[in-house]
Amino acid sequence: MKKITPTESLIRFFVKNPDSASDPATRRQYAVLSSAVGIICNIFLFAVKAFSAYLTHSAAVFADAFNNLSDCGSCIVTLLGCRIASKPADKDHPFGHGRIEYLTTLILSVLIITMGVELLRDSVSVAVKGRAAIAQLQFSKSTMILLIIAIVVKLWMYIFNTRIGKRINSSVFIASARDSLNDSVATALTIAALALSKPLNLPLDGIGGIIVSLIILKSGYEILRDTFEEIIGKPADPELTAKIREIVTSNPRIIGVHDLILHSYGPTKAIGSCHAEFRSTESFMDVHDIADSTEREIAEKLGISMTIHMDPVLMDDAVSDSLKGLLTEILAAIDKRLSYHDFRISQNQCQTHTHMIFDISAPYELKMNDNELRDTIIAAITEKDGNCTASITIDRE
């Protein structure tokens, strides 16, 4: 029997269906729980660190305390963002409100960067004061105990939010977790700087604050970068696309799949399309039924609204098979990463001229642009068979 941890018990107490990651109600409950925990913990940490700063006269500890106070604002932003994101689709937003989570993460990253800049400014000021700042510092065992408690609380918050973020696939909670981990590292550095400043007679309090601020700025930048990638549009998860291909090709009458495209409308809403290849001799009604059932299976298993386009493929045709072999040879000579699909041919009445129509799938890393690649392939086809011409569409993977 699997052991249930205190953290898991807390989740199960406040979230009715903790394993229903795609359920808007469940995501809303997770958001409320995480935000409530964050607000309570950060207010506690602000009080502990502010009291420690009062006792030690440490600018680094004082700045770290207000960093926790700003985290309370981040928790409120997270709560509002997740609540709005969980709203169902409406007339003005037919694909739901899931992308609000990306905007929320963007705001969170800006808050982290802002706090990092403020902390850097204060820490530089302390470092510049030098010995005057060192003389004011007071350090004791009780202060160390208080700050160690703060580290333990932040580490637990890191584990807590990481578990939620992975469970419901939310960048917001992953960002919050990362911020908590950085806070614990920052507090540890603050303790070290505070403890060693007087014995070494060096402005380590200010230097430690500078290091801490740079860590916070790095974290904010990484979150900002990842969020921009989500907003602009990044490649689909390879594991997810592999699962889609596996489901589509599980039917033996589907002989291939290409042009797979996914559009994300938030962590729980995705719309996609792909081209499934069938033998040209298949019944249109049968093919349509297979495509419909495959779309439903993808929706049930992966939660993706998929549209499947049916591509007929001419099989066991001597002319077509010969030209496919020719094309395969030409592509391998240009770049082994190239592949083709949607291949079909048309011939004149005397069958003296053949026109090939197909798409080429090319990696973005290929140095040729689309026009150069198209011209190179057509030139190679003409060289090998003067009676062949081609119409080519270039797809980047």
Side-chain angles (χ1 to χ4, degrees):
M1 185 177 178
K2 187 178 179 180
K3 184 179 179 181
I4 298 178
T5 63
T7 300
E8 186 66 24
S9 298
L10 179 65
I11 291 173
R12 292 182 180 276
F13 182 79
F14 285 98
V15 182
K16 292 182 180 179
N17 299 303
D19 297 322
S20 301
S22 60
D23 180 24
T26 298
R27 296 179 71 83
R28 187 164 55 249
Q29 289 169 4
Y30 271 117
V32 172
L33 173 60
S34 176
S35 297
V37 168
I39 291 170
I40 292 171
C41 289
N42 281 305
I43 288 177
F44 168 74
L45 291 173
F46 168 73
V48 167
K49 292 180 181 179
F51 182 63
S52 299
Y54 171 76
L55 294 176
T56 60
H57 303 287
S58 168
V61 176
F62 186 74
D64 198 16
F66 275 91
N67 182 28
N68 289 129
L69 191 62
S70 72
D71 287 343
C72 288
S74 300
C75 290
I76 295 172
V77 170
T78 300
L79 176 60
L80 293 175
C82 290
R83 287 184 68 88
I84 296 172
S86 66
K87 290 173 61 179
D90 54 38
K91 185 177 71 172
D92 295 325
H93 308 92
F95 300 111
H97 300 75
R99 284 180 173 171
I100 286 290
E101 286 203 23
Y102 301 146
L103 180 60
T104 304
T105 310
L106 186 65
I107 295 172
L108 180 58
S109 68
V110 172
L111 289 174
I112 293 172
I113 291 173
T114 302
M115 183 51 59
V117 171
E118 290 293 324
L119 180 57
L120 179 62
R121 185 190 63 183
D122 293 342
S123 298
V124 169
S125 176
V126 171
V128 170
K129 289 180 181 178
R131 292 183 179 180
I134 296 173
Q136 295 179 347
L137 292 176
Q138 300 293 330
F139 190 64
S140 64
K141 290 182 179 179
S142 58
T143 304
M144 178 176 287
I145 292 172
L146 288 174
L147 294 177
I148 289 175
I149 290 172
I151 292 174
V152 171
V153 172
K154 273 296 182 179
L155 287 175
W156 176 79
M157 290 177 67
Y158 164 72
I159 295 170
F160 179 72
N161 282 306
T162 298
R163 182 168 299 178
I164 292 178
K166 289 182 177 179
R167 180 170 293 181
I168 66 173
N169 187 29
S170 172
S171 61
V172 174
F173 293 107
I174 296 296
S176 296
R178 193 182 302 173
D179 186 39
S180 295
L181 181 62
N182 288 329
D183 281 352
S184 64
V185 173
T187 304
L189 289 174
T190 299
I191 293 174
L194 185 59
L196 296 175
S197 288
K198 276 197 171 182
L200 298 179
N201 196 29
L202 293 172
L204 297 180
D205 183 45
I207 295 172
I210 291 172
I211 295 172
V212 168
S213 66
L214 293 176
I215 292 173
I216 292 174
L217 286 171
K218 179 177 180 292
S219 172
Y221 163 74
E222 289 174 348
I223 296 170
L224 185 66
R225 179 197 61 199
D226 293 346
T227 305
F228 270 124
E229 288 183 356
E230 292 283 3
I231 294 173
I232 294 171
K234 65 179 184 179
D237 180 6
E239 290 185 12
L240 179 60
T241 58
K243 289 178 182 177
I244 294 172
R245 292 179 184 276
E246 182 182 350
I247 292 173
V248 173
T249 56
S250 63
N251 190 306
R253 295 168 73 176
I254 297 179
I255 58 178
V257 59
H258 57 266
D259 284 350
L260 173 58
I261 299 174
L262 290 176
H263 299 282
S264 172
Y265 289 89
T268 63
K269 181 68 174 179
I271 295 175
S273 63
C274 69
H275 291 208
E277 297 174 350
F278 295 85
R279 290 177 178 270
S280 58
T281 54
E282 290 273 12
S283 161
F284 178 79
M285 291 299 295
D286 289 347
V287 167
H288 186 271
D289 288 342
I290 292 170
D292 272 357
S293 62
T294 305
E295 289 172 354
R296 286 194 297 271
E297 185 178 356
I298 293 173
E300 291 169 0
K301 292 183 177 180
L302 304 178
I304 298 173
S305 300
M306 181 68 66
T307 299
I308 297 179
H309 173 80
M310 300 165 286
D311 276 345
V313 177
L314 184 62
M315 306 289 289
D316 303 323
D317 178 79
V319 175
S320 179
D321 290 345
S322 174
L323 292 175
K324 285 180 180 178
L326 174 65
L327 180 58
T328 300
E329 180 184 335
I330 290 171
L331 296 182
I334 297 172
D335 192 304
K336 292 183 178 180
R337 295 173 295 176
L338 297 174
S339 62
Y340 68 89
H341 55 84
D342 282 338
F343 182 93
R344 57 195 185 277
I345 62 173
S346 64
Q347 293 179 303
N348 60 5
Q349 289 183 346
C350 299
Q351 296 186 344
T352 57
H353 177 81
T354 303
H355 186 67
M356 295 190 289
I357 306 163
F358 54 88
D359 292 6
I360 293 294
S361 179
Y364 281 99
E365 296 80 12
L366 190 69
K367 292 182 179 179
M368 292 183 184
N369 62 38
D370 290 357
N371 290 330
E372 290 172 341
L373 178 58
R374 186 182 295 108
D375 292 344
T376 301
I377 295 172
I378 291 174
I381 291 172
T382 304
E383 181 183 348
K384 290 183 178 291
D385 190 337
N387 294 321
C388 281
T389 55
S391 294
I392 306 172
T393 300
I394 306 297
D395 297 331
R396 294 290 171 170
E397 291 178 351

